[in-house]
Amino acid sequence: MSERTTRHSARRRTISVCASPRAHGREYDEFIDEFLHAARNKYPNVLIQFEDFGNHNAFVLLQRYRNEFACFNDDIQGTAAVTVAGILAALRVTMKELCEQRFLFLGAGEAGTGIGSLLVSALVELGGLSEEEARRCCWFVDSQGLVVHSRLERLQAHKVPFAHEFKPLSTLVEAIRELRPTVLIGAS
């Protein structure tokens, strides 16, 4: 069998495995729970990385299992750690304070709000701000515009803590003009 035939066969096998319908709801939850417990039974010190689980599932799974398993979500926590480390390094160079910054995010999904949450923690711990004051430093623009209080009923749960009392703005350019951010983070 040639290398080309072997690659083609392997690709076909992979496609047929992935073509199964995806579980949802209770079946999905039970599958994830069973897998995590089986992995820990087999490997007691296992570290579980949730990768590309989709917006809703990513936050729910991390919240559900973070105190029971050694686990993390790369999009929510990994990207946040690298981004916040970069911001802290840049502030050392510019000799500016973290608490003096106004952060504007383009994108309010897993990565963006994960960065925002870690920034809030850093602003509290390193900047001496209250959590409320720290959240006021973080602004988000999603596909519907600026994340503000007037949109609360339509916002996904992970965006709600970052919704500010402010007039609605439709675009990133409008948000930049109005908010005058010192740090712009693209995470869409």
Side-chain angles (χ1 to χ4, degrees), residues 10-64:
R11 191 171 32 238
R12 248 190 21 224
R13 281 194 305 273
T14 302
I15 290 170
S16 66
V17 169
C18 296
S20 302
R22 219 173 243 207
H24 296 282
R26 186 176 181 173
E27 180 185 6
Y28 178 85
D29 293 341
E30 289 172 355
F31 172 78
I32 296 294
D33 198 63
E34 182 180 345
F35 172 81
L36 292 177
H37 283 90
R40 185 173 58 199
N41 286 341
K42 179 77 175 164
Y43 306 102
N45 296 318
V46 68
L47 171 63
I48 304 292
Q49 176 186 347
F50 296 116
E51 178 69 32
D52 293 333
F53 270 73
N55 220 316
H56 173 72
N57 289 330
F59 289 102
V60 170
L61 292 173
L62 188 57
Q63 189 63 37
R64 182 180 300 149

Side-chain angles (χ1 to χ4, degrees), residues 163-177:
H164 298 292
E165 194 64 52
F166 200 79
K167 64 184 177 184
L169 300 173
S170 300
T171 69
L172 176 64
V173 172
E174 289 176 319
I176 291 170
R177 285 186 182 133

Side-chain angles (χ1 to χ4, degrees), residues 31-160:
F31 172 78
I32 296 294
D33 198 63
E34 182 180 345
F35 172 81
L36 292 177
H37 283 90
R40 185 173 58 199
N41 286 341
K42 179 77 175 164
Y43 306 102
N45 296 318
V46 68
L47 171 63
I48 304 292
Q49 176 186 347
F50 296 116
E51 178 69 32
D52 293 333
F53 270 73
N55 220 316
H56 173 72
N57 289 330
F59 289 102
V60 170
L61 292 173
L62 188 57
Q63 189 63 37
R64 182 180 300 149
Y65 293 111
R66 73 184 331 149
N67 295 321
E68 186 179 354
F69 292 89
C71 64
F72 73 101
N73 181 293
D74 184 54
D75 293 328
I76 297 170
Q77 296 165 303
T79 302
V82 170
T83 303
V84 172
I87 290 168
L88 294 175
L91 291 173
R92 272 202 237 135
V93 171
T94 62
M95 298 174 62
K96 302 285 184 186
E97 296 294 324
L98 183 64
C99 60
E100 297 170 349
Q101 306 311 305
R102 178 173 286 176
F103 302 93
L104 179 59
F105 295 80
L106 176 59
E110 299 162 39
T113 57
I115 297 165
S117 293
L118 188 56
L119 270 172
V120 166
S121 295
L123 284 160
V124 168
E125 189 174 322
L126 304 173
L129 301 180
S130 70
E131 188 171 324
E132 184 180 325
E133 291 169 325
R135 287 195 190 283
R136 283 197 299 259
C137 294
C138 298
W139 295 77
F140 288 83
V141 173
D142 66 8
S143 61
Q144 305 300 308
L146 191 64
V147 174
V148 292
H149 272 252
S150 62
R151 295 180 48 207
L152 279 179
E153 291 178 12
R154 299 181 316 275
L155 288 177
Q156 294 169 298
H158 63 277
K159 297 178 187 182
V160 170

